[in-house]
Amino acid sequence: MSVGSPEIKAASEYTKRKNRILAERLGIDGENTVNSELELANKDCILPLKDYKVVSDDGRVIFDNSEYSFFEQKKAPDTVNPSLWINGKSNYAAGVFEVLKDKIYQVRGLDCANFTIVRSKTGWIVLDTTTFAEVAADSLKLLEKALGEPVKEKIRAIIVSHSHADHFGGLAGTVDEAKVGKISEGKIPIIVPAGFDEETVKENVFAGFAMGVRARYQFGGGIPAGVTGKVSVGLGTPGGRGTLSYIRPTEFISEDTVLNIDGLDVEFQLTPGTEAPAEMNNYFPEYRAFWAAENCSGTLHNVYPIRGAQLRDAAAWWRFTEIALEKYGVISDVVFQAHNHHHRNTPENPTAVTDYLRNNAAIYKIIHDNTLLYANIGKTAKQAAKLVKIPYKLQKAWYIRPYYGSVEINSRAVYTKYLGFWNGDPNEINPLTEEEEAKLFLRYAGSAENVLKLAKEDFENGRYEEAAKAAGYVVFAEPDNLEARYLQADAFEQLGYSSESSVWRNAYLSGAGDLRKLSTDERKRNNVARGSLVEKLTPRMLLDYLGIITDSTKLSEENRKFRLVTVDPLTAGNTDYKGKKVRKTTEFSVHIYYGSLLYYEGHTDEILKTVVVPEKALPLIVDTGSNAFLDAAETDIPEVIDIIRNAIVDVVRKAEFPMIEPNKVVL
Ligand SMILES: [Zn+2]
């Protein structure tokens, strides 16, 4: 197989050497690729699961861990970074695990997240529910089998640590919705941090289509599992495909507090701005056990995930982790969390818990502080990212290795949070687009052939970043140049094989896969469903979303004002003071003003014509990206409906865009 041909290649000598050097530096045995974390990941398993499938009631395979049975081999293959190999192998350890005898258990390895139960006086408290209803339901059955006692019928409360789908998506498989309600009603509460609803929507709906496409690069959704494919998502084994469910939470924690839930004291530590905008840790004093949610996992996390999300705050992250350490770590015997495995104090390692929390706090603090130090002496974000170095002692703490987040991306995230995206170069004030820059580069280089000749030389000499960058200019200038596509694919592939971060590996290998696809249709990346989130949208959020998917050029001559009333159907909850059923309404005055969609939420005295839309029709905007909700509107100003209908962009269809070449989609 020669360079620049369509096939997937083996690891080059340069890649093998790079992987070997890292293994030596970290003290990883080249033949039997193991470390102390792999040992811990397999420890305390009371029901191991090999070749295990999660199957839905109608027979669909939701997750099959035999897809990852390549981890049975001892030696890391040449095509996988040896440190990432151990991370993947640790995640591959599936089963029911005993975090604390008789008290705390986890099902791990059937999803990227864990299913956790904590014993209360008469039953169990669930901490996070995995991504899918089927995985959650299966986890409960496995727990009952391993423990030999009922679990599902004894659930007393569910705590969801934060607003990401891999923590709440399994709710419907955990509990029957009819049993959910307030603690005061004697029902099963779903307890979440304040802000849970709004933040999820902001993260996943307003930019949802773009995020869906980009997420495939982060998680490797379009590439198969395997030694030349996806091996890990850093936090766990890549999840399967099941039903992402949602049930409305019943209690919102808005300050640090202690609740007694079914006879067990549970302390809540809010950690806003860390891994999620709304997130919280828990401490169980009776068990001397600390739940670190997703603030500390078995990896350095993302201050910025490449799928897209608002920048996280590295300063909040280290600070809340330091508080957790001083307040709870010093009185804990075990720390466990929603991803990866637990860490416990032992006679050989009596400070395992505090070490774990302190190392986590330290790495975010170093990245934060050093980035700003470099910024203050004039380094750019790209320069600072390469300059920030983690001290060797901390590099050897396996659970903060860059399996998910990376030092480089996190440093750029810190830089951007403080200083924004401008790098100080006036060329970047109103920069050329990627396509324009590529064309300029080729014009100055003379021809694509000249560029590719040098890029090939770089490739042959193991300079894969340079080769990929130069070949990428040709791809952006001439998307059908096969030589350029294959060369860039080959270079991405070698970069993927040596990446310690699963995110980098998945992105490089996804890019290589897309470059090797020859038909435009094949190259389009479709987006993922976001069904359950739609239920969280308030009428105001839906109006915001309507603004986003409206082509303002089509409204550029309009200046019209009307009243929009959304009506909730007659539901049991909506009654007036006499107990009579009423329709709950939300009222807006909407102003289509020369392309913009302004609105005021509330009643105004202005006399306006009215459009009435049933609230339940609004999610159709997001569900289908279409204007179907307008069909449900009642109004005496149908012309306004037509104007909006005409301006809505069919985002669902247009969101199938390619990533590694110019995007030709137009509104
Ligand atoms: Zn998670």
Side-chain angles (χ1 to χ4, degrees), residues 54-87:
V54 179
V55 183
S56 68
D57 288 343
D58 59 356
R60 279 177 306 123
V61 175
I62 303 297
F63 177 78
D64 179 357
N65 86 328
S66 70
E67 281 181 37
Y68 293 86
S69 58
F70 55 83
F71 278 120
E72 296 291 337
Q73 76 181 67
K74 285 190 165 173
K75 185 179 187 297
D78 297 332
T79 50
V80 184
N81 177 294
S83 178
L84 180 63
W85 175 260
I86 298 176
N87 164 263

Side-chain angles (χ1 to χ4, degrees), residues 533-643:
L533 290 169
V534 171
E535 294 175 37
K536 294 183 175 189
L537 299 177
T538 61
R540 180 171 58 80
M541 290 172 184
L542 284 157
L543 205 48
D544 284 337
Y545 190 69
L546 183 62
I548 292 167
I549 61 164
T550 300
D551 179 359
S552 59
T553 59
K554 292 197 172 149
L555 302 175
S556 57
E557 296 296 320
E558 300 293 337
N559 184 1
R560 289 165 188 270
K561 214 166 176 184
F562 62 96
R563 194 180 316 285
L564 176 75
V565 178
T566 66
V567 246
D568 202 16
L570 300 175
T571 55
N574 295 330
T575 50
D576 66 11
Y577 68 102
K578 284 181 183 159
K580 203 178 126 216
K581 282 186 178 176
V582 293
R583 301 179 107 193
K584 192 187 83 185
T585 61
T586 312
E587 192 175 320
F588 303 89
S589 103
V590 179
H591 194 172
I592 304 175
Y593 180 71
Y594 302 132
S596 65
L597 205 72
L598 303 172
Y599 67 83
Y600 170 80
E601 185 172 358
H603 179 76
T604 59
D605 288 336
E606 219 173 330
I607 295 164
L608 294 169
K609 296 225 172 184
T610 304
V611 176
V612 179
V613 185
E615 213 170 276
K616 66 176 180 346
L618 285 173
L620 289 173
I621 306 175
V622 187
D623 251 357
T624 61
S626 80
N627 51 22
F629 77 103
L630 292 170
D631 297 338
E634 292 168 27
T635 183
D636 48 0
I637 40 166
E639 68 279 12
V640 170
I641 299 285
D642 288 340
I643 288 166

Side-chain angles (χ1 to χ4, degrees), residues 162 166-167 294 339:
H162 66 286
D166 53 326
H167 302 261
E294 194 167 329
H339 293 278

Side-chain angles (χ1 to χ4, degrees), residues 487-534:
L487 178 60
Q488 193 182 24
D490 286 348
F492 275 167
E493 197 166 72
Q494 296 302 322
L495 290 168
Y497 292 165
S498 64
S499 292
E500 191 175 6
S501 163
S502 64
V503 172
W504 293 29
R505 178 184 174 93
N506 292 337
Y508 283 132
L509 297 184
S510 300
D514 284 350
L515 284 159
R516 290 195 173 113
K517 287 176 187 146
L518 298 187
S519 90
T520 329
D521 275 351
E522 245 191 309
R523 286 181 217 155
K524 285 178 181 170
R525 287 278 130 245
N526 205 346
N527 108 93
V528 290
R530 291 156 302 124
S532 71
L533 290 169
V534 171

Side-chain angles (χ1 to χ4, degrees), residues 112-113 128 162 164-167 235 275 294 297 301 338-339 404:
C112 74
D128 292 357
H162 66 286
H164 292 155
D166 53 326
H167 302 261
L235 290 168
E275 190 266 331
E294 194 167 329
S297 301
H301 211 293
H339 293 278
Y404 192 36

